[in-house]
Amino acid sequence: IQHNTLGIYLNSSTAASNNSGKNLTLVAGNVLRNNNAAGASAGNAIYSDQGLRNAAINGNLISQQDNASIILIGGPAAATSQSKLNIIGNVIGKYTAPGKTPTAAQMGAPIILANTSDSLISSNVSYNSIGSGIFLAGGNTQDKNIGNYLPGGA
């Protein structure tokens, strides 16, 4: 998925009943790069602002985003909040040898979460982020950030 305004616009039901594996929203195994065309929410690989619950964002390869690799910014109202998410094993940007300046193709962008609860951010690799590797904005509760590797960020 490349050369769009944004890569994936991801939202789902935030109802308390959306808890089971049969209702899981899965975004996995995608290559997302250079989704920076002019327009609303430009520069994001995976974007959510209308609520997301019981979802997994796993094993994606993401690079060359001007704003964020993954940005989940709904809430604080329950209907637009994010909860019960797994963001696991994504590779953002590309490895650059120590002492070398990364090329545009090697640049990553941050994972940004706001108003997210009961979620796991784990085992992601973010090379050469244009901002924080992972940015937890306001309203996050009971999230776990475990075992991420974030070399070369701004």
Side-chain angles (χ1 to χ4, degrees):
I1 301 171
Q2 63 183 357
H3 305 299
N4 301 291
T5 301
L6 63 92
I8 297 173
Y9 185 46
L10 179 64
N11 299 294
S12 71
S13 169
T14 59
S17 60
N18 185 9
N19 275 330
S20 71
K22 72 178 183 175
N23 293 330
L24 178 72
T25 298
L26 178 63
V27 176
N30 298 288
V31 175
L32 299 110
R33 64 177 164 242
N34 199 20
N35 293 293
N36 302 310
S41 307
N44 299 301
I46 300 171
Y47 178 84
S48 178
D49 66 355
Q50 295 298 309
L52 185 60
R53 181 182 178 97
N54 192 26
I57 301 171
N58 300 344
N60 298 287
L61 302 176
I62 304 171
S63 64
Q64 295 176 271
Q65 300 301 139
D66 286 348
N67 187 54
S69 294
I70 300 168
I71 182 167
L72 311 176
I73 56 167
T80 59
S81 64
Q82 289 86 218
S83 63
K84 302 191 180 306
L85 309 176
N86 288 318
I87 302 170
I88 301 172
N90 297 286
V91 177
I92 300 166
K94 296 179 182 173
Y95 174 77
T96 305
K100 300 286 185 179
T101 301
T103 66
Q106 294 171 312
M107 297 303 289
I111 295 171
I112 301 172
L113 304 177
N115 300 308
T116 301
S117 64
D118 302 314
S119 298
L120 175 64
I121 305 102
S122 178
S123 305
N124 298 287
V125 177
S126 179
Y127 296 108
N128 310 309
S129 180
I130 59 173
S132 304
I134 298 171
F135 177 63
L136 302 175
N140 294 302
T141 59
Q142 298 184 5
D143 292 331
K144 295 179 182 165
N145 188 353
I146 301 170
N148 298 289
Y149 181 59
L150 313 169

